[in-house]
């Protein structure tokens, strides 16, 4: 009754502007009560009233804490489920005011006022992309970092501090929720890493003494901060726990997940964290799978892969399920890791040979009700079946390995065909899905289990309709619909933990294609394979042509660069020639001017001495100018000759190109090869000569040593003969050195000729490209002229038709019309008269 008249609420809003405590505080309480009882109606009235929201925002600036705190409660009620009011409140500087209050109250150590501020912030940010963007761009994410600063001693936290930290963590999750637009989430994740917020959360994660519910919420928060962000995932992989020796945070968390003494909620949070770490992170997937491979196993330390295998084959069904789902996430959309996991070998017992991980999973699956497990036995089999389905999807090699075990297919068909209770229906549906995957991704490499044979087996043993019905058990299950809602695994009890969110997506993709594959005939399969092959061939052809086009583009770019350099050189030559011509003209003008002045000065004979001096000076100047002119003329002629030579060379190249480009290039290439051969022979000769020189020099040194040794013993005649031999050798060496220098000169000349021939070949290629472009342009012009001629002929024919029709109409009307021959003769006569008049005019 009160809000039926909107003026009542408007009057109440105006009363709130009164500063008197006894007026303002009861007004706040009354409006809060109205919003609690009739929220949407009161929100609408406040929204349309002028400055309604702004008046309420002023309550946060009231110096009296009672009014400010009750104002917070009022704004909480006002902003519930109303995006328009949320935006107005945000743009009224609400974020700045609320964060200031939180800081004043002591962050997480504050009282209930901090809790109220956090609840109001959640109302403003949750499901409101506009406000989230405004919060991020306003640099308010950085102000959240001090909230999560914890000390070394974390024991004895108050209940209010736990509540405040819980709300703070939830506020971080609101900004990076998987339900937000991907672009907004990724930018917030980036900001949280850059400002150190993620690092602060990881400190809480590895701290001791933190309450269990805060630790659980911190794990969930870290999960969503790193989900899908490669930088954040890499940082999380590098975080180590403060233990001795230090262990990676992932290993410590997995130890909690496979430990059945840990709280169920905490184990779910660790699983979610591991899933988020591997989400769109092929690098992380490879690192996890690598810890299972024989070459990388470290016996001294516990690895993530060993913990997952231990959980997969433990006696706790929840550990089995969690480990299977975690391992499945290491394989999602990663064919490489699916193939690598096939290499994993397990030692089952002493003395027995190792068994592959795939075989061990199927062995446990085949035990069925004989499994000795704590918890749900169905849960273990569901987890293993989800792992096998994920592993075999889009991996024909894994399908072949699975089918190679002769007992697997009979086990699956027996499970599907039996009539069991409701609990076993889920296992039957997953068995049908696994068998369908074996058909759909079968490459027919095993003759005993080809696509066609497996389909025949289903038709004979089970029946297509029953198979489809059992396959539909999965999507009809209530746990399936719950798991499909959001990525975070949230279950009320361990028994309800059956499906994983990513697996529900996989089922949705595969169900339709498997049913279609089951009902397909062999001919349709063959046609589909042929289509696939043709598509692959088509893709190969397209990729080949793409490579060719890419190479041609590179060649075209090189040719364009060559053309541009040649054009630049040509422009330089042209400017040089024009400058020389201008200088020549200038000197000619100066010469003519001096000549005129000399003629005038010769007419005056009054001052002979001075004239003689001037004439002497002018004659010297003229002679100097003449010499300069001659030099410039020579330079000009030289440049003109170079230009003419280049032009003739270009014309010859273009002619030769048109006549036969191939012959020219082959000829040049033959010359180049001949020159290369000559260079090789000269090099070999040089090598021989150099060895000969070294040998002779060695002999000379030996002779000198002998001469020095025998100088004291032998006579002067012997020394003279040794000296003559030495001189002969020196002459030989000098001759060889001269030959060596001449050979070097010849090699240099040949290299110069080779470079000139290469340049000529490059210029010929560029000229060819230019001529081809001109040819294309001429062809286009010819085709256009032909089109125009055809159009004119059509127009003339139309005109002739019109003239004939007009003549016929005139004849029908009784008018006399000359024949076409008469008109033509008349026209000829007129032309003769005109010719006669033209001849008379010429005679005149």
């Amino acid at each position: 009754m009160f809000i039926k008249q909107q003026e009542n609420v408007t009057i109440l809003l105006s009363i709130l502007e009164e500063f008197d405590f006894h007026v303002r505080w009861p007004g706040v309480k009354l409006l809060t009560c109205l919003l609690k009882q009739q929220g949407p109606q009161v929100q609408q009235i406040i929204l349309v009233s002028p400055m309604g929201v702004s008046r309420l925002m002023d309550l946060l600036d009231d110096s009296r804490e009672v009014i400010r705190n009750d104002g917070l409660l009022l704004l909480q009620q006002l902003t519930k489920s109303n995006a328009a009011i949320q935006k107005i409140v945000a743009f009224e500087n609400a974020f700045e005011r609320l964060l200031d209050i939180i800081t004043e109250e002591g962050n997480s150590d504050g009282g209930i006022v901090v809790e109220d501020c956090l609840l109001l912030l959640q109302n403003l940010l949750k499901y409101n992309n506009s406000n989230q963007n405004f919060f991020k761009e306003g640099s308010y994410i950085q102000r959240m970092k001090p909230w999560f600063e914890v000390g070394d001693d974390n024991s004895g936290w108050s209940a209010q501090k736990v509540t405040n930290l819980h709300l703070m963590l939830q506020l971080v999750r609101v900004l990076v929720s998987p339900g937000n637009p991907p672009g907004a989430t990724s930018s917030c994740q980036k900001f949280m890493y850059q400002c150190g917020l993620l690092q602060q959360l990881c400190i809480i994660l590895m701290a001791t003494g933190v309450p269990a519910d805060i630790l659980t919420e911190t794990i969930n928060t870290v999960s969503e901060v790193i989900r899908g962000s490669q930088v954040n995932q890499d940082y999380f992989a590098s975080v180590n726990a403060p233990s001795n020796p230090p262990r990676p945070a992932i290993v410590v968390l997995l130890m909690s997940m496979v430990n059945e003494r840990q709280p169920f909620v905490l184990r779910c949070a660790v699983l979610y964290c591991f899933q988020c770490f591997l989400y769109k992170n092929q690098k992380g997937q490879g690192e996890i799978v690598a810890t299972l491979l024989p070459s990388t196993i470290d016996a001294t330390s516990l690895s993530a892969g060993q913990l997952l295998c231990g959980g997969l084959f433990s006696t706790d069904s929840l550990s089995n399920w969690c480990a299977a789902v975690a391992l499945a996430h290491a394989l999602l959309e990663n064919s490489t890791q699916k193939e690598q996991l096939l290499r994993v070998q397990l030692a089952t017992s002493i003395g027995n040979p190792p068994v592959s991980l795939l075989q061990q999973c199927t062995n446990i699956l085949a035990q069925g009700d004989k499994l000795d497990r704590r918890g749900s036995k169905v849960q273990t089999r569901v987890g293993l079946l989800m792992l096998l389905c994920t592993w075999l999807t889009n991996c024909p090699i894994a399908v072949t390995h699975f089918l190679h075990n002769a007992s697997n297919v009979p086990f699956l068909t027996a499970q599907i065909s039996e009539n069991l209770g409701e609990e076993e229906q889920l296992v039957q549906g997953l068995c049908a899905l696994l068998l369908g995957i074996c058909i759909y991704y079968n490459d027919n490499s095993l003759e005993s289990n080809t696509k066609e044979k497996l389909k025949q087996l289903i038709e004979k043993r089970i029946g297509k309709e029953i198979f489809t019905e059992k396959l539909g058990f999965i999507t009809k299950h209530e746990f399936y619909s719950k798991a499909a809602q959001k990525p975070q695994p949230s279950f009320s009890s361990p028994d309800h933990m059956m499906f994983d969110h990513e697996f529900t997506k996989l089922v949705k993709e595969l169900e339709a294609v498997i049913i279609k594959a089951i009902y397909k005939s062999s001919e349709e399969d063959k046609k589909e394979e042929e289509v696939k092959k043709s598509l692959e061939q088509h893709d190969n052809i397209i990729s080949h042509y793409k490579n060719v086009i890419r190479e041609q583009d590179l060649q075209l770019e090189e040719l364009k660069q060559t053309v541009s350099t040649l054009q630049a050189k040509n422009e330089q030559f042209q400017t040089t020639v024009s400058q020389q011509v201008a200088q020549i003209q200038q000197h000619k003008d100066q010469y003519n001017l001096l000549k005129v002045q000399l003629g005038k000065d010769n007419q005056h004979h009054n001052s002979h001495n001075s004239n003689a001096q001037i004439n002497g000076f002018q004659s010297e100047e003229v002679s100097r100018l003449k010499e300069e002119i001659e030099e410039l003329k020579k330079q000009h002629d030289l440049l003109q000759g170079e230009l003419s030579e280049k032009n003739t060379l270009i014309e010859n190249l273009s002619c030769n190109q048109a006549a036969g480009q191939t012959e020219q290039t082959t000829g040049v290439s033959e010359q180049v090869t001949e020159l290369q051969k000559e260079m090789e022979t000269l090099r070999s000769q040089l090598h021989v000569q150099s060895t000969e020189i070294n040998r002779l020099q060695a002999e000379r040194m030996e002779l000198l040593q002998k001469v020095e040794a025998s100088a004291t013993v032998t006579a002067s005649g012997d020394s003279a003969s040794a000296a003559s031999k030495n001189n002969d050798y020196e002459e030989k060496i000098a001759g060889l050195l001269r030959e060596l220098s001449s050979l070097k000169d010849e090699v240099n000349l040949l290299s110069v000729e080779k470079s000139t021939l290469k340049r000529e070949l490059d210029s010929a290629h560029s000229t060819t490209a230019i001529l081809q472009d001109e040819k294309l342009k001429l062809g286009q012009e010819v085709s256009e002229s032909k089109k125009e001629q055809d159009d004119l002929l059509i127009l003339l024919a139309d005109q002739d038709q019109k003239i004939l029709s007009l003549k016929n109409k005139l004849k029908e009307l009784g008018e006399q019309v000359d024949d076409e021959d008469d008109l033509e003769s008349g026209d000829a006569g007129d032309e003769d008269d005109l010719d006669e008049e033209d001849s008379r005019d010429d005679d005149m």
Side-chain angles (χ1 to χ4, degrees):
M1 289 174 67
F2 183 83
I3 64 173
K4 270 183 183 178
Q5 294 183 354
Q6 295 187 5
E7 293 81 7
N8 293 338
V9 179
T10 309
I11 292 166
L12 186 57
L13 289 171
S14 63
I15 289 171
L16 289 176
E17 291 183 344
E18 292 290 334
F19 187 72
D20 186 1
F21 179 80
H22 297 290
V23 175
R24 202 173 201 186
W25 186 49
V28 172
K29 300 288 259 181
L30 175 58
L31 191 56
T32 307
C33 184
L34 289 171
L35 282 164
K36 282 181 180 177
Q37 302 302 323
Q38 298 289 332
Q41 291 86 340
V42 179
Q43 284 175 342
Q44 196 61 34
I45 295 167
I46 294 171
L47 193 60
V48 296
S49 64
M51 301 293 290
V53 178
S54 299
R55 289 172 183 173
L56 298 177
M57 285 299 297
D58 292 338
L59 296 171
L60 297 179
D61 297 327
D62 200 306
S63 58
R64 295 161 294 194
E65 288 190 4
V66 176
I67 294 176
R68 185 199 68 182
N69 296 345
D70 283 341
L72 285 170
L73 298 173
L74 169 62
L75 289 169
Q76 281 181 29
Q77 297 298 324
L78 180 67
T79 54
K80 275 185 179 178
S81 307
N82 193 311
I85 292 176
Q86 289 167 4
K87 287 179 185 178
I88 295 168
V89 170
F91 282 101
E92 288 285 343
N93 206 18
F95 295 138
E96 186 77 32
R97 295 177 182 184
L98 292 170
L99 291 171
D100 287 342
I101 294 169
I102 291 170
T103 306
E104 288 170 11
E105 295 289 327
N107 293 328
S108 61
D109 292 320
I112 197 166
V113 178
V114 173
E115 182 183 346
D116 292 337
C117 289
L118 293 167
L119 288 169
L120 180 53
L121 282 170
Q122 279 195 20
N123 283 355
L124 295 174
L125 291 172
K126 203 167 188 178
Y127 308 123
N128 195 318
N129 297 328
S130 174
N131 282 1
Q132 288 174 11
N133 193 38
F134 181 63
F135 190 84
K136 177 194 68 180
E137 290 178 354
S139 300
Y140 297 120
I141 291 175
Q142 290 89 316
R143 295 188 61 178
M144 299 168 76
K145 184 187 172 186
W147 296 355
F148 304 103
E149 291 176 356
V150 295
D152 296 330
D153 186 16
N154 297 308
S155 59
W157 282 14
S158 65
Q160 188 61 56
K161 182 172 182 176
V162 171
T163 304
N164 290 346
L165 259 175
H166 205 273
L167 289 170
M168 288 170 176
L169 290 166
Q170 285 181 352
L171 196 62
V172 175
R173 291 185 67 186
V174 165
L175 295 170
V176 291
S177 171
N180 294 344
T185 302
S186 62
S187 59
C188 287
Q189 288 171 334
K190 185 180 176 183
F191 273 106
M192 286 176 184
Y193 174 74
Q194 289 173 349
C195 73
L197 180 58
L198 173 61
Q199 293 84 330
Q200 203 64 45
L201 290 171
C202 288
I203 290 170
I204 297 175
L205 195 69
M206 293 293 110
T208 55
V210 178
D213 54 346
I214 293 297
L215 181 61
T216 303
E217 192 62 26
T218 305
I219 293 169
N220 288 326
T221 307
V222 170
S223 305
E224 292 182 354
V225 173
I226 67 172
R227 188 176 189 268
S229 173
Q230 188 66 54
V231 176
N232 294 5
Q233 287 166 340
D234 291 343
Y235 170 75
F236 184 68
S238 67
V239 174
N240 286 322
S243 58
N244 192 17
R247 281 178 175 167
I250 296 169
V251 172
V252 174
L253 290 172
L254 287 175
M255 288 169 70
S256 301
M257 187 185 77
V258 297
N259 185 356
E260 57 185 302
R261 289 192 294 272
Q262 292 292 342
F264 172 65
V265 181
L266 179 66
R267 295 173 76 180
C268 290
V270 173
L271 176 62
Y272 184 46
C273 185
F274 191 74
Q275 290 173 349
C276 291
F277 169 66
L278 296 178
Y279 183 70
K280 293 184 179 178
N281 183 11
Q282 292 198 346
K283 181 184 173 185
Q285 288 175 325
E287 290 171 356
I288 296 297
V289 173
T291 59
L292 284 163
L293 299 177
S295 57
T296 55
I297 289 174
D298 185 7
T300 58
S301 62
L302 202 60
S303 67
Q306 290 170 343
L307 285 168
L308 290 174
C309 274
L312 193 64
F313 305 123
S314 75
T315 55
D316 177 35
S317 61
L318 186 59
S319 297
N320 299 156
W321 191 91
C322 291
V325 170
L327 202 54
H329 275 260
L331 306 176
L332 269 175
E333 297 177 2
N334 197 330
S335 301
T336 306
Q337 302 311 323
K338 289 176 182 178
E339 293 175 11
Q340 287 292 320
L341 203 63
L342 293 170
R343 294 170 51 204
V344 176
Q345 299 289 321
L346 303 172
T348 52
S349 58
I350 299 168
N352 292 329
V355 179
S356 70
L357 177 62
L358 184 68
Q359 183 61 46
Q360 185 65 12
C361 288
T362 54
N363 289 344
I364 294 171
L365 197 61
Q367 291 177 18
D369 294 331
K370 298 174 185 177
L371 287 172
D372 185 16
R373 292 285 185 274
R374 286 184 296 277
S376 171
K377 294 179 182 179
V378 174
Q379 194 174 40
T380 300
R381 285 182 287 163
V382 167
L384 289 170
L385 283 166
M386 284 197 296
L387 172 61
L388 290 172
C389 289
T390 308
W391 193 347
L392 269 59
T393 298
N394 204 16
C395 186
I397 298 170
V399 171
T400 305
H401 276 71
F402 180 79
L403 294 175
H404 193 72
N405 187 350
S407 61
N408 286 339
V409 175
F411 165 73
L412 291 176
T413 53
Q415 285 286 315
I416 299 164
S417 58
E418 285 181 8
N419 291 319
L420 302 169
E422 288 185 6
E423 287 187 358
E424 295 293 329
Q425 283 183 354
L426 196 54
V427 175
Q428 286 184 316
L430 289 169
C431 287
L433 180 68
L434 184 58
L435 188 56
I437 290 167
C438 291
I439 293 169
Y440 187 71
Y441 292 105
N442 195 336
D443 59 358
N444 295 326
S445 55
L446 287 174
E447 291 184 4
S448 57
N449 287 312
T450 60
K451 279 185 181 182
E452 193 59 34
K453 287 183 179 178
L454 289 174
K455 284 196 283 187
Q456 289 174 2
L457 187 69
I458 288 172
E459 195 169 358
K460 289 177 182 177
R461 297 276 180 88
I462 304 164
K464 290 180 180 180
E465 290 79 10
I466 296 171
F467 179 86
T468 309
E469 183 188 351
K470 296 290 174 74
L471 186 61
F473 285 163
I474 302 172
T475 53
K476 290 174 184 176
H477 206 281
E478 58 174 339
F479 295 153
Y480 175 89
S481 57
K482 284 182 181 178
Q485 290 172 2
K486 57 181 181 178
Q488 183 183 0
S490 55
F491 304 98
S492 56
S493 69
D495 294 336
H496 294 170
M497 210 168 185
M498 288 295 174
F499 283 111
D500 169 54
H501 177 74
E502 292 296 327
F503 184 73
T504 59
K505 290 183 184 177
L506 186 69
V507 172
K508 196 174 181 180
E509 290 175 9
L510 291 174
E511 187 178 13
V513 294
I514 287 171
I515 292 169
K516 192 176 177 182
I518 293 295
Y519 282 94
K520 265 185 189 175
S521 62
S522 58
E523 293 178 358
E524 287 176 343
D525 282 336
K526 287 178 183 177
K527 285 180 182 177
E528 191 174 345
E529 287 177 4
E530 288 174 1
V531 169
K532 282 182 182 177
K533 286 179 182 178
S534 63
L535 285 172
E536 287 175 2
Q537 290 174 358
H538 186 259
D539 291 338
N540 292 332
I541 291 164
I542 288 170
S543 60
H544 171 68
Y545 279 117
K546 280 182 181 177
N547 294 329
V548 170
I549 290 164
R550 202 174 291 113
E551 291 173 1
Q552 287 179 349
D553 287 338
L554 293 171
Q555 291 175 0
L556 189 62
E557 286 296 325
E558 290 175 359
L559 290 170
K560 281 180 180 177
Q561 289 175 1
T562 310
V563 167
S564 61
T565 52
L566 289 170
Q567 284 178 349
K569 286 181 181 178
N570 191 15
E571 287 173 1
Q572 287 178 0
F573 284 131
Q574 297 258 345
T575 51
T576 308
V577 169
S578 61
Q579 287 173 1
Q580 296 289 343
V581 169
Q583 287 179 1
I584 289 165
Q585 188 62 38
Q586 187 180 359
H587 287 303
K588 278 183 179 179
D589 295 339
Q590 289 177 1
Y591 174 68
N592 292 328
L593 184 63
L594 289 169
K595 201 172 182 183
V596 170
Q597 287 178 358
L598 185 62
K600 286 180 180 179
D601 290 337
N602 285 333
Q603 293 175 3
H604 302 285
H605 299 287
N606 295 328
S607 54
H608 178 70
N609 293 329
S610 62
N611 285 338
Q613 288 175 0
I614 290 165
N615 289 332
F617 172 73
Q618 286 178 349
S619 62
E620 288 175 1
E621 188 68 24
V622 167
S623 62
R624 186 175 63 77
L625 287 169
K626 282 182 178 179
E627 288 174 359
E628 287 182 2
I629 288 162
E630 288 297 326
E631 287 178 1
L632 290 169
K633 280 182 178 178
K634 286 178 182 177
Q635 289 179 5
H636 181 261
D637 294 336
L638 185 63
L639 289 168
Q640 288 284 354
E642 287 180 0
L643 280 171
S644 60
E645 285 177 3
K646 285 181 179 177
N647 288 329
T648 52
L649 180 63
I650 288 165
E651 288 174 1
N652 291 331
L653 285 169
S654 61
C655 294
N656 292 332
Q657 181 106 19
Q661 181 185 356
T662 341
E663 295 179 359
Q664 185 177 1
T665 48
T666 50
V668 173
S669 60
E670 286 175 0
Q671 289 179 4
V672 171
T673 51
E674 287 175 2
L675 286 169
Q676 286 178 349
K677 287 179 182 177
E678 290 180 6
M679 283 175 71
E680 290 296 327
T681 52
L682 288 169
R683 280 176 185 161
S684 61
Q685 289 178 7
L686 278 170
H687 182 67
V688 172
Q689 295 291 342
S690 61
T691 51
E692 185 67 22
I693 286 163
N694 292 328
R695 187 180 63 76
L696 290 171
Q697 284 180 349
E699 288 180 3
R700 183 190 172 199
M701 292 300 293
E702 289 176 2
L703 285 170
L704 284 169
Q705 289 173 2
K706 286 179 182 178
V707 166
E708 288 174 0
S710 61
T712 55
V713 183
T714 58
S716 62
D718 294 330
S719 63
S721 63
S724 63
K725 282 183 181 180
N726 195 9
N727 290 330
D728 292 335
Y729 283 120
E730 285 179 353
E731 287 174 0
K732 285 182 180 179
I733 288 163
L736 289 168
L737 287 169
R738 285 194 294 275
E739 288 180 5
L740 182 64
S741 63
S742 64
L743 288 168
K744 283 182 178 178
D745 292 334
E746 288 179 5
V747 168
N748 291 329
L749 288 170
L750 288 168
S751 65
V752 169
E753 288 178 4
K754 181 182 176 184
S755 63
T756 53
L757 284 168
K758 280 185 177 179
R759 283 197 295 274
E760 289 176 2
L761 184 61
D762 294 336
S763 63
H765 283 305
S766 63
T767 311
T768 303
I770 292 163
L771 289 169
Q772 285 178 352
D773 290 338
E774 289 178 357
K775 183 180 176 183
L776 287 169
K777 286 178 181 177
L778 287 170
Q780 289 175 358
E781 289 174 1
V782 168
S783 62
E784 286 175 1
S785 62
K786 282 181 178 179
K787 285 179 181 177
E788 288 176 359
Q789 194 174 5
D790 293 332
D791 293 336
L792 286 170
L793 288 170
I794 291 163
L795 284 171
L796 285 170
D798 291 336
Q799 259 183 336
D800 289 337
Q801 289 294 329
K802 284 179 181 178
I803 288 164
L804 285 171
S805 63
L806 289 169
K807 280 180 183 180
N808 292 328
K809 284 181 180 178
L810 287 169
K811 285 178 181 179
E812 288 172 3
L813 292 168
E815 293 291 333
Q816 188 176 358
V817 181
D818 294 331
D819 292 333
E820 194 175 354
D821 294 331
D822 296 338
L823 288 168
E824 287 178 358
S825 63
D827 293 338
D830 292 338
E831 287 174 2
D832 293 337
D833 295 338
L834 289 169
D835 291 334
E836 286 176 5
E837 288 175 4
D838 292 334
S839 64
R840 286 198 202 100
D841 293 333
D842 292 336
D843 293 337
M844 292 294 287

